[in-house]
Amino acid sequence: MADLNDDEFAELPEPSLRNIIEMESLKWVFVGGKGGVGKTTTSCCVGIRLSMVREKVLLVSTDPAHNLSDAFSQKFGSDPTLVQGFDNLYCMEIDADDDMNSFQRSMQEGAAEDDDTQSVVGNFMADLSTSIPGIDEAMSFAELMKQVQQMDYDTIVFDTAPTGHTLRLLSFPTIMEKALGKVAALKERFGGLLNQASAMMGGAATGPNGENVADLMVGKLEETRGIIAKVNAAFRDPEVTTFVCVCIPEFLSIYETERLGQELSKFGIDCHN
């Protein structure tokens, strides 16, 4: 910002809640910042205000330390729940571990039903999670975005975790690229074991429709990468996505907000609000 002249400053829209409320094309609103600056309070206020001018609004907490239930004095879970006192505002709190477990179960369900194959699939996922830091969060995020894209809401407000976690969300496409490379190595490592295990059972290491289990795993990760890539493209569209940086007049908060703004700019994500 320091490099902008007066004319360039004049061209920038004034940061205000009105920008968010009046932009009808806005689909996703992310609220982030340093821990303890009031992200949940801001998210709730934005969600409530949007519910006054939208037909259906969803407020999602991706922070492991959920606070939406406390804010509304109402218990929320992994499914959208109508907020008491509203007829069009819904809340849900996402658990990354549950999403990762759900992803692993879907992988196992696509495999054969014998215990040996199921065990190998479980070991495959465990090895993948420990080999690539952040892959569990990337998969959980993909599962979340897959869910919300199928939901019928005009606008979705995300109450995110502190800055470091939020910035990791933006690196997920890169993480998925690394994951697919690692999968190729793991496929070679476990592919033979799958065949041996199934051969001992007199069968083949295949899914319910005859697919190779390792290929099913790669296909699932490819699908996940596709979802994240699609979401990432939407993130870069200021008509669809905006990021609200919450800050308080304190040095560390200001410093971290500046860093967050710079990182968001690198990824091409609108954060002028």
Side-chain angles (χ1 to χ4, degrees), residues 7 13 20 30 40 53 59 68 74 76 87 89 92 94 101 108 110 160 170 185 198 206 233 239 241 247 255 261 266:
D7 291 336
I20 298 175
F30 287 84
T40 298
V53 295
L59 185 54
L68 291 182
Q74 179 182 347
F76 300 114
D87 58 9
L89 178 61
M92 62 187 294
I94 300 300
N101 291 335
Q108 291 175 324
T160 69
L170 306 178
S198 60
T206 61
E239 296 295 321
T241 305
C247 180
Y255 174 79
K266 289 180 182 178

Side-chain angles (χ1 to χ4, degrees), residues 2-261:
D3 296 328
L4 296 178
N5 57 42
D6 292 339
D7 291 336
E8 289 172 322
F9 267 119
E11 295 177 0
L12 292 176
E14 179 183 354
S16 74
L17 186 58
R18 177 175 295 179
N19 295 332
I20 298 175
I21 302 303
E22 294 182 349
M23 189 179 295
E24 297 183 358
S25 64
L26 208 56
K27 180 70 175 178
W28 295 336
V29 179
F30 287 84
V31 179
K34 187 177 181 296
V37 298
K39 295 186 298 297
T40 298
T41 301
T42 302
S43 300
C44 293
C45 291
V46 171
I48 290 172
R49 189 65 185 86
L50 281 169
S51 70
M52 298 179 182
V53 295
R54 303 285 200 277
E55 290 188 11
K56 290 181 68 177
V57 176
L58 176 64
L59 185 54
V60 180
S61 172
T62 61
D63 189 340
H66 300 301
N67 292 309
L68 291 182
S69 294
D70 295 329
F72 288 106
S73 298
Q74 179 182 347
K75 181 62 178 176
F76 300 114
S78 58
D79 296 317
T81 303
L82 184 65
V83 179
Q84 295 173 359
F86 295 85
D87 58 9
N88 64 340
L89 178 61
Y90 298 77
C91 284
M92 62 187 294
E93 294 179 333
I94 300 300
D95 189 320
D97 290 335
D98 286 346
D99 282 341
M100 183 58 183
N101 291 335
S102 175
F103 181 87
Q104 183 168 335
R105 283 196 301 272
S106 70
M107 296 282 281
Q108 291 175 324
E109 288 170 1
E113 296 182 357
D114 62 88
D115 293 338
D116 292 316
T117 302
Q118 295 283 346
S119 176
V120 172
V121 172
N123 292 337
F124 178 94
M125 294 304 299
D127 200 338
L128 186 63
S129 297
T130 55
S131 299
I132 308 170
I135 184 60
D136 53 343
E137 291 177 302
M139 291 178 176
S140 297
F141 180 70
E143 288 295 305
L144 165 62
M145 299 312 296
K146 185 177 180 179
Q147 290 179 42
V148 299
Q149 286 184 87
Q150 296 171 348
M151 296 176 181
D152 183 26
Y153 293 95
D154 297 299
T155 306
I156 300 174
V157 180
F158 292 87
D159 178 29
T160 69
T163 304
H165 181 274
T166 302
L167 293 178
R168 283 202 301 276
L169 293 180
L170 306 178
S171 67
F172 285 165
T174 302
I175 291 175
M176 290 307 298
E177 290 292 341
K178 293 181 180 179
L180 287 168
K182 184 66 177 179
V183 165
L186 291 177
K187 181 180 177 182
E188 294 180 3
R189 174 181 173 184
F190 285 106
L193 184 57
L194 277 169
N195 291 329
Q196 291 175 15
S198 60
M200 292 175 63
M201 302 297 293
T206 61
N209 298 319
E211 312 94 325
N212 183 279
V213 172
D215 290 337
L216 282 174
M217 295 176 181
V218 175
K220 184 66 175 179
L221 286 174
E222 284 282 6
E223 178 187 353
T224 302
R225 182 175 65 168
I227 293 171
I228 292 181
K230 182 178 179 181
V231 169
N232 213 39
F235 280 1
R236 291 179 167 84
D237 186 350
E239 296 295 321
V240 177
T241 305
T242 191
F243 200 106
V244 178
C245 300
V246 183
C247 180
I248 59 175
E250 185 266 333
F251 173 75
L252 287 178
S253 177
I254 294 173
Y255 174 79
E256 196 158 309
T257 302
E258 180 182 12
R259 181 170 69 94
L260 175 59

